[in-house]
């Protein structure tokens, strides 16, 4: 049996991203989305969920980029010193802080809890967690994040590990660096699974599409679908509209969001899934 969750990240980033995610759910193959509690358009995203009751909504936890939900004094190890409290923008700097033991676990738990609670206070039944740039693969983040999830009644979390043999669909030289990064992160996969099991939580068998983020096209998506192994997997996607709001955010993913939106709404992709007998599910369906 092969099952697939199609999860749209960055819900709450801009209104154009919000609208695209709901469209890709109602008219395409998106089954779940993860909402940014500290996103510029989080209130609009929460309002839109009322028209999409079948969309499973999780929390897209931010510990890099953006600003904390908590007061700076509560999460001082997570922020850089500047006029307005901000998270680090570099994932490499964040990783260095983790390796040096500079992140305070209680502060990670406090911020993750605040982000989940903010969504729950808005009426969202948070079905799962993932993190911006997959920071929860770092053990210094994972255990306090799982504790926050359990305390808030969230039972599922993304497994960011991507099968190396499947990631090889990304044959373009520009993606080789990202492919190498995925290999490094995958070394943490065993510890990740053990921690999730100890916490009594659930997770898919892995994630697809990480390496090709920003360059997904019809050929790559078909190649991924053809190679999905047995089990339950998550396809990460980033649909959106490339408008002025998105330009102001400063994300590197702009025109690619529009391409992904069209792919996710394409009847061809749904037919591909049917032809390969892959069942679409959401995080709500995980057992």
């Amino acid at each position: 049996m092969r099952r697939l969750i199609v999860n749209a990240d960055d819900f709450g980033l801009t209104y154009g991203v919000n609208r695209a995610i709901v469209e890709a759910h109602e008219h395409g193959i998106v089954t779940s989305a993860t909402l940014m509690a500290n996103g510029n358009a989080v209130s609009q995203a929460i309002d839109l969920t009322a028209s999409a009751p079948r969309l499973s909504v999780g929390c897209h936890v931010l510990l890099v980029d953006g600003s904390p939900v908590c007061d700076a004094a509560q999460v001082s190890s997570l922020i850089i010193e500047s006029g307005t409290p901000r998270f680090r923008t570099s994932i490499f700097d964040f990783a260095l802080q983790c390796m040096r033991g500079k992140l305070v676990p209680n502060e990670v738990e406090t911020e993750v809890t605040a982000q989940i609670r903010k969504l729950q206070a808005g009426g969202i039944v948070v079905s799962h967690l993932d993190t911006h740039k997959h920071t929860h693969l770092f053990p210094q983040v994972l255990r306090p994040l799982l504790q926050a999830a359990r305390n808030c009644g969230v039972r599922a979390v993304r497994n960011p590990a991507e099968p190396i043999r499947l990631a090889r669909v990304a044959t373009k030289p520009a993606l080789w660096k990202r492919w190498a990064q995925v290999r490094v992160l995958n070394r943490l996969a065993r510890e990740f699974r053990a921690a999730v099991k100890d916490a009594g939580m659930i997770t898919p068998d892995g994630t697809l599409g990480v390496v090709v983020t920003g360059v997904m096209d019809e050929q790559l998506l078909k190649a991924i679908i053809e190679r999905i192994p047995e089990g339950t997997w998550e396809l990460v996607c980033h649909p959106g509209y490339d408008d002025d709001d998105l330009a102001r955010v400063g994300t590197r993913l702009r025109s690619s969001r529009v391409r992904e939106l069209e792919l996710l709404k394409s009847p061809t992709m749904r037919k591909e899934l049917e032809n390969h007998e892959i069942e679409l599910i959401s995080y709500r369906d995980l057992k």
Side-chain angles (χ1 to χ4, degrees):
M1 178 186 297
R2 292 185 293 172
R3 305 194 304 169
L4 183 66
I5 299 165
V6 181
N7 191 93
D9 287 7
D10 297 345
F11 203 24
L13 182 64
T14 68
Y15 183 71
V17 168
N18 294 346
R19 184 162 56 93
I21 288 174
V22 173
E23 286 181 14
H25 168 65
E26 293 180 339
H27 307 293
I29 61 173
V30 166
T31 58
S32 296
T34 32
L35 179 53
M36 306 163 70
N38 39 10
N40 295 330
V42 60
S43 296
Q44 295 166 327
I46 291 173
D47 290 343
L48 284 172
T49 60
S51 65
R54 294 182 296 107
L55 182 67
S56 175
V57 181
C59 181
H60 191 60
V61 174
L62 266 73
L63 300 175
V64 291
D65 295 331
S67 302
V69 169
C70 292
D71 293 335
Q74 295 178 281
V75 292
S76 57
S77 70
L78 295 174
I79 63 173
I80 55 177
E81 296 299 329
S82 58
T84 302
R86 302 281 294 176
F87 293 130
R88 294 171 180 83
T89 57
S90 167
I91 186 62
F92 299 106
D93 290 346
F94 185 88
L96 192 59
Q97 290 295 107
C98 287
M99 290 186 289
R100 288 176 173 174
K102 298 292 187 180
L103 293 189
V104 179
N106 287 345
E107 294 183 1
V108 174
E109 183 179 340
T110 296
E111 176 61 25
V112 175
T113 299
Q115 293 186 28
I116 298 170
R117 293 297 190 199
K118 181 178 178 179
L119 299 186
Q120 291 175 331
I124 299 296
V125 179
V126 178
S127 57
H128 62 292
L129 299 184
D130 57 36
T131 54
H132 184 52
K133 297 185 178 178
H134 312 298
T135 53
H136 67 291
L137 256 183
F138 296 111
Q140 295 83 356
V141 173
L142 178 61
R143 292 190 182 276
L145 178 138
L146 293 175
Q147 186 60 50
R150 291 185 63 189
N151 291 343
C152 294
V154 180
R155 66 191 184 95
V157 62
R158 170 180 289 168
N159 177 356
E162 182 164 19
I164 291 299
R165 69 179 182 84
L166 201 150
R168 285 176 179 155
V169 300
T171 56
K172 300 177 182 179
L175 299 177
W176 290 350
K177 179 180 178 181
R178 193 167 182 86
W179 184 78
Q181 291 169 346
V182 167
R183 291 194 66 178
V184 172
L185 288 176
N186 280 359
R187 294 173 186 171
L188 300 170
R190 182 176 296 179
E191 187 171 351
F192 168 83
R193 283 194 165 279
V196 171
K197 183 178 180 180
D198 288 346
M201 294 180 63
I202 53 178
T203 187
D205 292 305
T207 296
L208 314 172
V210 176
V211 171
V212 298
T213 297
V215 297
M216 182 76 81
D217 57 22
E218 183 173 334
Q219 181 181 2
L220 286 171
L221 185 51
K222 283 184 175 181
I224 289 172
I225 291 172
E226 289 172 2
R227 294 166 172 79
I228 293 178
E230 291 290 313
T232 301
W233 300 85
E234 178 183 359
L235 175 68
V236 176
C237 60
H238 300 82
Y241 284 100
D242 187 4
D243 52 20
D244 291 342
D245 288 341
L246 193 63
R248 282 190 287 269
V249 168
T251 174
R252 72 179 180 89
L253 303 179
R254 293 190 57 187
S255 60
S256 64
R257 293 182 188 267
V258 181
R259 292 196 304 270
E260 287 196 23
L261 174 59
E262 294 307 312
L263 274 176
L264 295 165
K265 291 168 59 178
S266 168
T268 301
M269 291 303 108
R270 186 177 290 277
K271 189 65 175 176
E272 283 288 315
L273 292 169
E274 292 173 357
N275 290 343
H276 290 87
E277 298 182 338
I278 296 167
E279 179 187 2
L280 275 178
I281 65 167
S282 75
Y283 263 97
R284 291 177 186 166
D285 301 314
L286 278 185
K287 305 297 183 184

